[in-house]
Amino acid sequence: QKEVEQNSGPLSVPEGAIASLNCTYSDRGSQSFFWYRQYSGKSPELIMSIYSNGDKEDGRFTAQLNKASQYVSLLIRDSQPSDSATYLCAVKDSSASKIIFGSGTRLSIRP
Amino acid sequence: GAVVSQHPSRVICKSGTSVKIECRSLDFQATTMFWYRQFPKQSLMLMATSNEGSKATYEQGVEKDKFLINHASLTLSTLTVTSAHPEDSSFYICSAHQAGTNTEAFFGQGTRLTVV
């Protein structure tokens, strides 16, 4: 069974600080990795995708990938209260067309 | 990003009736769509993979005769919850992928189903 593991949280971060979200996965052949944000009662929204080892930056968000360690992370700089949500790590199955989701990390930004 | 439209966003039905949920990719062709269910404070649970022009692939434990999936075109997949029961009440979400190797999943808005 291929798995994606995340700390469920809640992770509490003061406003303006850096929030760090981590994820590990079991499918060593995976090549595509994603971070989704989900507000309560809403469907997930894609915020970052990453395919190569290293860092990928988009605004306040930076995704980091280390395939050797099977580790993906998401950094959110200058955290805002509006960043409070559940963040889902997702990994594309290397042998099927589906994407495997982690259980999500609840992030709370305190003013 | 690509747009996926899901309808209805909210539905209430009586026990024993059937409910159809539509998922459309508006600006791209989706050979594969996925149906998820999410209970409160829980993660997404993949129910089935919907393939255009062929039978859907169901995840273990999901009853294919209860959750009927049709993917008749490259832009539309439907999920029908048959003989609904209160325990089927949940948030149902579809996603669609664009063709290609590195392909993100774009989600519909979700359907909140309440069976009374």
Side-chain angles (χ1 to χ4, degrees):
Chain A
Q1 181 78 0
K2 295 173 181 175
E3 295 181 337
V4 177
E5 300 284 344
Q6 292 181 258
N7 188 318
S8 63
L11 175 64
S12 181
V13 173
E15 184 175 356
I18 296 175
S20 177
L21 305 165
N22 305 313
C23 170
T24 59
Y25 60 94
S26 64
D27 186 355
R28 187 169 285 279
S30 294
Q31 299 295 322
S32 304
F33 308 87
F34 312 99
W35 282 99
Y36 288 83
R37 177 176 61 200
Q38 186 176 25
Y39 293 113
S40 181
K42 303 294 185 183
S43 66
E45 170 193 11
L46 178 70
I47 53 173
M48 288 288 284
S49 57
I50 186 167
Y51 308 107
S52 304
N53 279 329
D55 295 0
K56 179 181 178 183
E57 186 175 319
D58 183 0
R60 294 186 297 113
F61 299 98
T62 299
Q64 300 173 315
L65 173 62
N66 184 326
K67 292 182 182 179
S69 300
Q70 295 174 244
Y71 176 87
V72 194
S73 66
L74 179 70
L75 300 178
I76 306 175
R77 289 181 299 281
D78 188 23
S79 296
Q80 303 296 310
S82 60
D83 294 328
S84 296
T86 296
Y87 288 80
L88 302 169
C89 174
V91 176
K92 189 173 184 300
D93 190 315
S94 63
S95 59
S97 58
K98 62 186 178 182
I99 290 178
I100 303 167
F101 285 85
S103 58
T105 298
R106 281 190 296 133
L107 175 65
S108 175
I109 307 300
R110 58 182 189 271
Chain B
V3 178
V4 177
S5 176
Q6 189 173 339
H7 177 82
S9 58
R10 191 176 291 269
V11 59
I12 300 172
C13 71
K14 292 184 178 180
S15 277
T17 62
S18 296
V19 174
K20 180 185 283 189
I21 303 169
E22 292 187 348
C23 181
R24 294 181 185 272
S25 56
L26 298 186
D27 53 359
F28 66 99
Q29 293 185 331
T31 53
T32 306
M33 290 186 177
F34 300 85
W35 288 96
Y36 297 85
R37 181 167 55 184
Q38 187 175 38
F39 292 106
K41 299 190 186 302
Q42 295 188 24
S43 186
L44 297 170
M45 187 195 82
L46 179 64
M47 299 175 66
T49 301
S50 168
N51 300 299
E52 187 267 337
S54 63
K55 290 184 179 180
T57 303
Y58 289 82
E59 296 298 303
Q60 192 172 9
V62 178
E63 300 174 59
K64 62 180 182 180
D65 294 331
K66 181 170 181 62
F67 299 99
L68 301 179
I69 291 172
N70 183 279
H71 193 157
S73 78
L74 287 172
T75 59
L76 173 64
S77 175
T78 61
L79 167 68
T80 301
V81 183
T82 64
S83 186
H85 291 280
E87 56 265 32
D88 296 325
S89 299
S90 187
F91 191 45
Y92 291 85
I93 314 172
C94 72
S95 76
H97 294 204
Q98 290 181 284
T101 303
N102 293 335
T103 172
E104 302 95 340
F106 296 98
F107 284 87
Q109 303 94 318
T111 298
R112 177 76 57 192
L113 170 64
T114 303
V115 185
V116 298

